Amino acid sequence: MEREVRVRFAPSPTGALHIGGVRTALYNYLFAKKHGGKMLLRIEDTDQTRFVPGAEDYILNALAWVGIKIDEGISEGGPFAPYRQSERKSMYMQYAQKLVADGNAYYAFDTPEELDRMREELKAAKVASPQYNSITRVRMKNSLTLPEDEVKKKLEAGEAYVIRLKVPRKDEIRLNDLVRGWVMWHSSTLDDKVLMKSDGMPTYHLANVVDDHLMNISHVIRGEEWLPSAPTHVLIYKYLGWEDTMPQFAHLPLLLKPDGNGKLSKRDADKHGFPIFPMEWQDPFTQEFAAGFKNEGYLPEALVNFLAFLGWNPGTQQEIFSMEQLVEAFTIERIGKSGTKFDINKAKWFNQQYLKEKTDDQLAEYLLADLAKNNINCSLEKAAAICGQLKERVIFPQDFWKDGKFFFVAPTVYDEAVVSSKWNAEVANIIGQFGSALQLAANDINADEVKSTLNVVLEKNDAKIGKIMQALRVCITGVGSGPDLMQLIALIGSHETAQRIAQAIAVLNNKVQA
Ligand code: GLU
């Protein structure tokens, strides 16, 4: 019988969720939905020293914002509750003890000073990466080297200990990864990872494997940075006798810096001026704010579409995919092996495509919200018409106000380059006549009427429209390019336009004379 697909997203609440984490969650979600399976959210908080208040809520909110729905987890509950590892603390020791009893793990009593000394000695002996492993463990204080009764005494006396995995000296560990195919490690390159810490908490390695097993996880889809942990996990599955139901693994390609050189970090994102977190995050310790895709104006559906393509492709030319279409198209086979460059311009492109798809009335809501913040009244109808004029150019919702401010506010500065190349007495004269004509016209005017009013003036002066067009635009908006000028004037109204023209002529003629 085919195994039910059950995947999990298992973040540690150590800060804001990185955008790469959102991609991992997304791929898990797409895979689960595609196969009619379940998506779990498990919080891996066994490292109490790295716990950051607020991080867990942040993760939940970020997943909800991008539209990833969780079937079982800390908020939803489920048949394998609790889904927070700190609340499962009492479950793990029995598995560590079974490993010890079977000779696959051992107690280690080394103090931090003793461990430091071991590392120093190895360094002095030019060992490249000093490790507690099959070679060095014979010199340390553990249940492999100490007499049995002494171990017993120490345990009874409550002496601090950890439990370490006993990695065989010579073995080959293999894993058939769904993304990279067969991967092989020599056990001699692995260290004897701590499984239980002296505070009674399991480490990530033990808790992760035990929970994936107990929660009946069928596929582990996670970032490539976890690939080095995989052989340790494979050994634990084997030693606990769980090989038959071991999940299948898929390690996702790394997200690379924009230039493709190395792993993407927050520093790189800061340097290039783009966010690395889905939503804004305030560090609870330093109070520092970090930007998020949400507050920068990215739409969740655009971000999802962008992230889906960071490491996966549908094998066709189609680029725009709704969440439902992604679920339909997604396969692990089409995930690439090599790292993928983080191109923020592509994210912007997706955002633009999704914004353009919205109706003018929907877009007007963005503009109206910004207008309200600036105490400017505007009808929905007018706001929608303005958004209609701007929608081909904007990338973010806030651009309607930023790029369309001139619909509401007269310019105070005029583009120098246009003025110096296009402004002269004749141009000023024609534009002045047009202003006067507008002043006499009805305030409510449509684009065709604006055009014929302008044509009358041009004919009278025997001038072509090209002569004055850019200068006229600068008088009204301050800048040399923008949406259709006739529409723009109609939306601003003839009287306000006439006033702006008069004002501009006064300023610019003065300037030219000076
Ligand atoms: N707790 C790990 C993390 O923070 C989970 C890694 C895994 O998926 O196994 O990403």
Side-chain angles (χ1 to χ4, degrees):
M1 204 180 79
E2 201 142 302
R3 188 172 185 184
E4 186 199 4
V5 167
R6 291 175 57 81
V7 297
R8 83 307 192 266
F9 181 52
S12 299
T14 54
L17 186 59
H18 189 285
I19 199 70
V22 183
R23 183 195 61 168
T24 300
L26 175 65
Y27 284 20
N28 274 284
Y29 177 74
L30 296 176
F31 186 73
K33 295 298 121 183
K34 164 115 188 184
H35 296 281
K38 293 270 187 315
M39 165 85 174
L40 281 70
L41 176 73
R42 184 174 72 226
I43 295 291
E44 302 208 324
D45 58 349
T46 56
D47 190 349
Q48 307 270 292
T49 61
R50 296 185 62 213
F51 178 80
V52 175
E56 198 178 282
D57 279 344
Y58 180 95
I59 293 166
L60 297 181
N61 293 337
L63 295 180
W65 177 61
V66 296
I68 294 175
K69 292 181 203 70
I70 304 298
D71 298 304
E72 295 173 24
I74 52 167
S75 313
E76 297 71 16
F80 301 99
Y83 290 87
R84 199 180 275 111
Q85 286 184 329
S86 57
E87 291 169 21
R88 303 169 65 79
K89 185 176 173 187
S90 62
M91 297 188 193
Y92 303 108
M93 190 48 139
Q94 55 187 305
Y95 299 103
Q97 275 165 350
K98 175 174 165 33
L99 290 169
V100 175
D102 294 344
N104 294 313
Y106 57 91
Y107 298 102
F109 302 95
D110 315 274
T111 63
E113 295 73 33
E114 286 164 337
L115 291 170
D116 281 347
R117 201 177 321 131
M118 182 247 294
R119 284 190 205 103
E120 287 311 318
E121 282 171 17
L122 290 173
K123 258 194 239 159
K126 302 265 180 290
V127 174
S129 54
Q131 287 184 329
Y132 203 120
N133 59 20
S134 58
I135 297 176
T136 54
R137 69 184 171 223
V138 298
R139 300 196 289 122
M140 303 303 288
K141 235 166 58 193
N142 54 51
S143 57
L144 303 173
T145 58
L146 298 170
E148 212 178 310
D149 57 335
E150 201 179 325
V151 172
K152 215 168 149 207
K153 253 195 260 153
K154 281 180 182 297
L155 291 176
E156 278 165 5
E159 224 179 270
Y161 67 86
V162 300
I163 296 179
R164 286 180 181 271
L165 184 67
K166 190 177 166 208
V167 176
R169 181 143 182 195
K170 277 195 193 141
D171 199 2
E172 280 177 359
I173 301 154
R174 289 161 203 273
L175 179 69
N176 194 1
D177 188 89
L178 293 174
V179 173
R180 17 204 95 234
W182 283 103
V183 191
M184 201 260 287
W185 295 265
H186 288 285
S187 63
S188 59
T189 61
L190 306 180
D191 59 343
D192 288 357
K193 286 265 181 310
V194 173
L195 302 176
M196 288 298 291
K197 294 180 283 188
S198 52
D199 63 1
M201 272 286 193
T203 58
Y204 155 70
H205 300 289
L206 181 68
N208 186 269
V209 167
V210 165
D211 284 345
D212 281 348
H213 173 76
L214 295 180
M215 295 179 180
N216 202 7
I217 296 301
S218 64
H219 296 78
V220 168
I221 304 172
R222 62 184 176 192
E224 190 186 305
E225 61 272 30
W226 300 102
L227 190 58
S229 300
T232 302
H233 298 176
V234 171
L235 282 179
I236 301 173
Y237 279 107
K238 181 172 149 190
Y239 294 153
L240 287 173
W242 296 339
E243 259 179 322
D244 291 349
T245 54
M246 186 172 91
Q248 288 193 274
F249 286 83
H251 287 92
L252 307 177
L254 286 180
L255 298 186
L256 304 178
K257 295 178 205 290
D259 65 7
N261 268 329
K263 200 175 146 187
L264 177 73
S265 68
K266 174 155 188 321
R267 273 238 315 274
D268 305 312
D270 288 348
K271 197 174 100 194
H272 290 91
F274 62 80
I276 194 84
F277 300 138
M279 304 187 310
E280 192 174 50
W281 165 253
Q282 186 179 21
D283 187 304
F285 304 120
T286 64
Q287 310 302 321
E288 236 177 278
F289 273 103
F293 280 86
K294 183 180 179 191
N295 60 297
E296 296 263 306
Y298 287 88
L299 304 174
E301 51 278 36
L303 185 63
V304 160
N305 202 152
F306 167 67
L307 290 178
F309 274 74
L310 278 185
W312 171 86
N313 72 77
T316 64
Q317 293 300 311
Q318 187 182 344
E319 288 193 280
I320 302 296
F321 282 81
S322 66
M323 189 70 105
E324 291 70 37
Q325 290 170 318
L326 285 171
V327 166
E328 184 68 25
F330 187 78
T331 62
I332 290 187
E333 290 73 46
R334 296 213 62 88
I335 296 175
K337 284 192 197 39
S338 47
T340 133
K341 276 189 226 168
F342 196 90
D343 178 5
I344 195 66
N345 290 324
K346 195 73 201 188
K348 290 181 183 168
W349 180 84
F350 276 113
N351 215 51
Q352 198 171 22
Q353 306 312 309
Y354 278 87
L355 262 191
K356 265 202 299 210
E357 281 306 304
K358 293 192 184 278
T359 64
D360 293 352
D361 277 3
Q362 285 172 325
L363 298 175
E365 298 298 334
Y366 297 127
L367 177 59
L368 288 171
D370 282 327
L371 288 172
K373 276 187 221 149
N374 289 281
N375 295 318
I376 297 173
N377 280 327
C378 177
S379 67
L380 174 67
E381 199 190 343
K382 184 173 171 187
I386 291 173
C387 291
Q389 290 300 310
L390 294 171
K391 72 197 278 186
E392 287 301 317
R393 301 160 183 266
V394 303
I395 294 174
F396 300 114
Q398 66 270 25
D399 293 347
F400 288 108
W401 166 242
K402 237 170 69 202
D403 297 353
K405 213 171 176 169
F406 51 69
F407 280 102
F408 304 93
V409 184
T412 49
V413 287
Y414 303 94
D415 187 308
E416 294 278 349
V418 178
V419 171
S420 63
S421 68
K422 306 281 182 199
W423 194 260
N424 57 47
E426 189 193 350
V427 167
N429 180 27
I430 299 171
I431 290 178
Q433 290 176 39
F434 176 51
S436 307
L438 285 178
Q439 189 60 54
L440 294 174
N443 190 42
D444 265 345
I445 194 168
N446 67 34
D448 288 340
E449 290 160 352
V450 175
K451 181 125 197 170
S452 53
T453 307
L454 180 60
N455 280 339
V456 170
V457 174
L458 289 170
E459 268 165 38
K460 214 163 78 193
N461 290 275
D462 197 19
K464 289 237 158 54
I465 192 161
K467 193 176 187 95
I468 60 138
M469 199 60 165
Q470 241 196 333
L472 176 59
R473 184 186 287 283
V474 165
C475 290
I476 300 167
T477 68
V479 292
S481 64
D484 182 83
L485 191 57
M486 303 304 124
Q487 297 280 2
L488 196 143
I489 292 172
L491 282 163
I492 291 177
S494 44
H495 295 168
E496 163 73 12
T497 307
Q499 245 173 52
R500 290 192 191 184
I501 288 175
Q503 158 91 7
I505 289 175
V507 173
L508 296 177
N509 278 350
N510 241 336
K511 218 181 203 161
V512 173
Q513 275 160 22

